[in-house]
Amino acid sequence: MDITPEIWFQTARSGGSGGQNVNKVETMVEGYWDITASTLVSEQQKQLIKDKLTNKITSEGYLLVKSQEERSQLENKQLVIKKMNELVTKALIVPKKRKPTKPSKASKEKRIENKKKNSEVKQMRGKIKL
């Protein structure tokens, strides 16, 4: 899923060490994607994204991803795009329903047989009565 056309960006100064470059250049990039106004996904998909990515969605309903790992704004922007696309793609995957299974007749018999053998072994450990 590629949501790149609907992402808008905002820049800020990165935190942490880096000297003069950090103090002057706005290299941190924040990417925002308005889920509710999106035309790329259906209503069901929007709900699925909202449910799975609640901790990354702002109070206004935007999906927010930040990046300040790289030293250039362009590289951070590309990282934000990559992270957002991966998040949305993973959120849209619907897990398969689990089919409950029962143990087979053979496995039940094998279990009981093992229990009997174990019981016999433990019985043999007891004191010998004369």
PDB file of all heavy atoms in Angstrom, residues 8-23:
ATOM      1  N   TRP A   8       1.712  14.627   4.416  1.00  0.00           N
ATOM      2  CA  TRP A   8       2.291  15.971   4.446  1.00  0.00           C
ATOM      3  C   TRP A   8       3.314  16.031   5.563  1.00  0.00           C
ATOM      4  O   TRP A   8       3.211  15.335   6.567  1.00  0.00           O
ATOM      5  CB  TRP A   8       1.228  17.068   4.523  1.00  0.00           C
ATOM      6  CG  TRP A   8       0.300  17.033   5.692  1.00  0.00           C
ATOM      7  CD1 TRP A   8      -0.832  16.301   5.796  1.00  0.00           C
ATOM      8  CD2 TRP A   8       0.428  17.754   6.917  1.00  0.00           C
ATOM      9  NE1 TRP A   8      -1.420  16.511   7.013  1.00  0.00           N
ATOM     10  CE2 TRP A   8      -0.674  17.408   7.721  1.00  0.00           C
ATOM     11  CE3 TRP A   8       1.357  18.663   7.417  1.00  0.00           C
ATOM     12  CZ2 TRP A   8      -0.859  17.931   8.994  1.00  0.00           C
ATOM     13  CZ3 TRP A   8       1.157  19.180   8.686  1.00  0.00           C
ATOM     14  CH2 TRP A   8       0.063  18.813   9.453  1.00  0.00           C
ATOM     15  N   PHE A   9       4.328  16.865   5.336  1.00  0.00           N
ATOM     16  CA  PHE A   9       5.505  16.858   6.202  1.00  0.00           C
ATOM     17  C   PHE A   9       5.688  18.174   6.944  1.00  0.00           C
ATOM     18  O   PHE A   9       5.274  19.231   6.477  1.00  0.00           O
ATOM     19  CB  PHE A   9       6.760  16.576   5.371  1.00  0.00           C
ATOM     20  CG  PHE A   9       6.696  15.273   4.635  1.00  0.00           C
ATOM     21  CD1 PHE A   9       6.275  15.229   3.312  1.00  0.00           C
ATOM     22  CD2 PHE A   9       7.053  14.093   5.256  1.00  0.00           C
ATOM     23  CE1 PHE A   9       6.204  14.034   2.631  1.00  0.00           C
ATOM     24  CE2 PHE A   9       6.983  12.894   4.576  1.00  0.00           C
ATOM     25  CZ  PHE A   9       6.564  12.860   3.270  1.00  0.00           C
ATOM     26  N   GLN A  10       6.360  18.059   8.094  1.00  0.00           N
ATOM     27  CA  GLN A  10       6.725  19.219   8.883  1.00  0.00           C
ATOM     28  C   GLN A  10       8.140  18.959   9.392  1.00  0.00           C
ATOM     29  O   GLN A  10       8.467  17.830   9.763  1.00  0.00           O
ATOM     30  CB  GLN A  10       5.750  19.367  10.046  1.00  0.00           C
ATOM     31  CG  GLN A  10       5.751  20.721  10.672  1.00  0.00           C
ATOM     32  CD  GLN A  10       4.571  20.876  11.647  1.00  0.00           C
ATOM     33  OE1 GLN A  10       3.838  19.947  11.914  1.00  0.00           O
ATOM     34  NE2 GLN A  10       4.425  22.069  12.154  1.00  0.00           N
ATOM     35  N   THR A  11       8.972  19.992   9.407  1.00  0.00           N
ATOM     36  CA  THR A  11      10.349  19.809   9.859  1.00  0.00           C
ATOM     37  C   THR A  11      10.583  20.558  11.154  1.00  0.00           C
ATOM     38  O   THR A  11       9.881  21.510  11.477  1.00  0.00           O
ATOM     39  CB  THR A  11      11.350  20.319   8.806  1.00  0.00           C
ATOM     40  OG1 THR A  11      11.109  21.705   8.583  1.00  0.00           O
ATOM     41  CG2 THR A  11      11.240  19.538   7.513  1.00  0.00           C
ATOM     42  N   ALA A  12      11.601  20.078  11.899  1.00  0.00           N
ATOM     43  CA  ALA A  12      11.999  20.730  13.145  1.00  0.00           C
ATOM     44  C   ALA A  12      13.464  20.411  13.389  1.00  0.00           C
ATOM     45  O   ALA A  12      14.041  19.550  12.713  1.00  0.00           O
ATOM     46  CB  ALA A  12      11.142  20.230  14.294  1.00  0.00           C
ATOM     47  N   ARG A  13      14.044  21.084  14.352  1.00  0.00           N
ATOM     48  CA  ARG A  13      15.440  20.802  14.685  1.00  0.00           C
ATOM     49  C   ARG A  13      15.515  19.493  15.445  1.00  0.00           C
ATOM     50  O   ARG A  13      14.724  19.234  16.347  1.00  0.00           O
ATOM     51  CB  ARG A  13      16.021  21.930  15.537  1.00  0.00           C
ATOM     52  CG  ARG A  13      16.194  23.199  14.739  1.00  0.00           C
ATOM     53  CD  ARG A  13      17.025  24.202  15.504  1.00  0.00           C
ATOM     54  NE  ARG A  13      16.968  25.492  14.815  1.00  0.00           N
ATOM     55  CZ  ARG A  13      16.774  26.642  15.426  1.00  0.00           C
ATOM     56  NH1 ARG A  13      16.656  26.677  16.738  1.00  0.00           N
ATOM     57  NH2 ARG A  13      16.730  27.748  14.742  1.00  0.00           N
ATOM     58  N   SER A  14      16.498  18.693  15.082  1.00  0.00           N
ATOM     59  CA  SER A  14      16.707  17.420  15.765  1.00  0.00           C
ATOM     60  C   SER A  14      17.309  17.661  17.130  1.00  0.00           C
ATOM     61  O   SER A  14      18.034  18.625  17.349  1.00  0.00           O
ATOM     62  CB  SER A  14      17.651  16.523  14.964  1.00  0.00           C
ATOM     63  OG  SER A  14      17.050  16.154  13.762  1.00  0.00           O
ATOM     64  N   GLY A  15      17.038  16.751  18.042  1.00  0.00           N
ATOM     65  CA  GLY A  15      17.637  16.826  19.367  1.00  0.00           C
ATOM     66  C   GLY A  15      18.917  16.021  19.416  1.00  0.00           C
ATOM     67  O   GLY A  15      19.328  15.411  18.427  1.00  0.00           O
ATOM     68  N   GLY A  16      19.568  16.015  20.559  1.00  0.00           N
ATOM     69  CA  GLY A  16      20.757  15.189  20.753  1.00  0.00           C
ATOM     70  C   GLY A  16      22.029  15.862  20.287  1.00  0.00           C
ATOM     71  O   GLY A  16      22.058  17.033  19.937  1.00  0.00           O
ATOM     72  N   SER A  17      23.105  15.071  20.279  1.00  0.00           N
ATOM     73  CA  SER A  17      24.414  15.612  19.920  1.00  0.00           C
ATOM     74  C   SER A  17      24.524  15.804  18.416  1.00  0.00           C
ATOM     75  O   SER A  17      23.775  15.229  17.651  1.00  0.00           O
ATOM     76  CB  SER A  17      25.511  14.675  20.414  1.00  0.00           C
ATOM     77  OG  SER A  17      25.338  13.403  19.823  1.00  0.00           O
ATOM     78  N   GLY A  18      25.475  16.616  18.000  1.00  0.00           N
ATOM     79  CA  GLY A  18      25.678  16.865  16.577  1.00  0.00           C
ATOM     80  C   GLY A  18      26.302  18.222  16.345  1.00  0.00           C
ATOM     81  O   GLY A  18      26.598  18.599  15.223  1.00  0.00           O
ATOM     82  N   GLY A  19      26.456  18.975  17.430  1.00  0.00           N
ATOM     83  CA  GLY A  19      27.148  20.264  17.333  1.00  0.00           C
ATOM     84  C   GLY A  19      26.384  21.310  16.566  1.00  0.00           C
ATOM     85  O   GLY A  19      25.171  21.409  16.655  1.00  0.00           O
ATOM     86  N   GLN A  20      27.127  22.070  15.796  1.00  0.00           N
ATOM     87  CA  GLN A  20      26.580  23.226  15.095  1.00  0.00           C
ATOM     88  C   GLN A  20      25.470  22.831  14.120  1.00  0.00           C
ATOM     89  O   GLN A  20      24.498  23.550  13.964  1.00  0.00           O
ATOM     90  CB  GLN A  20      27.719  23.913  14.341  1.00  0.00           C
ATOM     91  CG  GLN A  20      27.480  25.364  14.085  1.00  0.00           C
ATOM     92  CD  GLN A  20      28.709  26.034  13.496  1.00  0.00           C
ATOM     93  OE1 GLN A  20      29.573  25.359  12.947  1.00  0.00           O
ATOM     94  NE2 GLN A  20      28.794  27.330  13.600  1.00  0.00           N
ATOM     95  N   ASN A  21      25.610  21.680  13.475  1.00  0.00           N
ATOM     96  CA  ASN A  21      24.630  21.227  12.490  1.00  0.00           C
ATOM     97  C   ASN A  21      23.248  21.096  13.128  1.00  0.00           C
ATOM     98  O   ASN A  21      22.250  21.497  12.544  1.00  0.00           O
ATOM     99  CB  ASN A  21      25.082  19.894  11.886  1.00  0.00           C
ATOM    100  CG  ASN A  21      24.292  19.533  10.642  1.00  0.00           C
ATOM    101  OD1 ASN A  21      24.201  20.316   9.717  1.00  0.00           O
ATOM    102  ND2 ASN A  21      23.710  18.350  10.648  1.00  0.00           N
ATOM    103  N   VAL A  22      23.193  20.532  14.350  1.00  0.00           N
ATOM    104  CA  VAL A  22      21.924  20.337  15.043  1.00  0.00           C
ATOM    105  C   VAL A  22      21.289  21.675  15.380  1.00  0.00           C
ATOM    106  O   VAL A  22      20.080  21.852  15.279  1.00  0.00           O
ATOM    107  CB  VAL A  22      22.139  19.495  16.333  1.00  0.00           C
ATOM    108  CG1 VAL A  22      20.896  19.487  17.189  1.00  0.00           C
ATOM    109  CG2 VAL A  22      22.523  18.081  15.974  1.00  0.00           C
ATOM    110  N   ASN A  23      22.103  22.645  15.768  1.00  0.00           N
ATOM    111  CA  ASN A  23      21.583  23.951  16.172  1.00  0.00           C
ATOM    112  C   ASN A  23      21.049  24.772  15.010  1.00  0.00           C
ATOM    113  O   ASN A  23      20.221  25.649  15.196  1.00  0.00           O
ATOM    114  CB  ASN A  23      22.670  24.750  16.899  1.00  0.00           C
ATOM    115  CG  ASN A  23      23.148  24.033  18.141  1.00  0.00           C
ATOM    116  OD1 ASN A  23      22.407  23.271  18.735  1.00  0.00           O
ATOM    117  ND2 ASN A  23      24.383  24.275  18.526  1.00  0.00           N
TER     118      ASN A  23
END
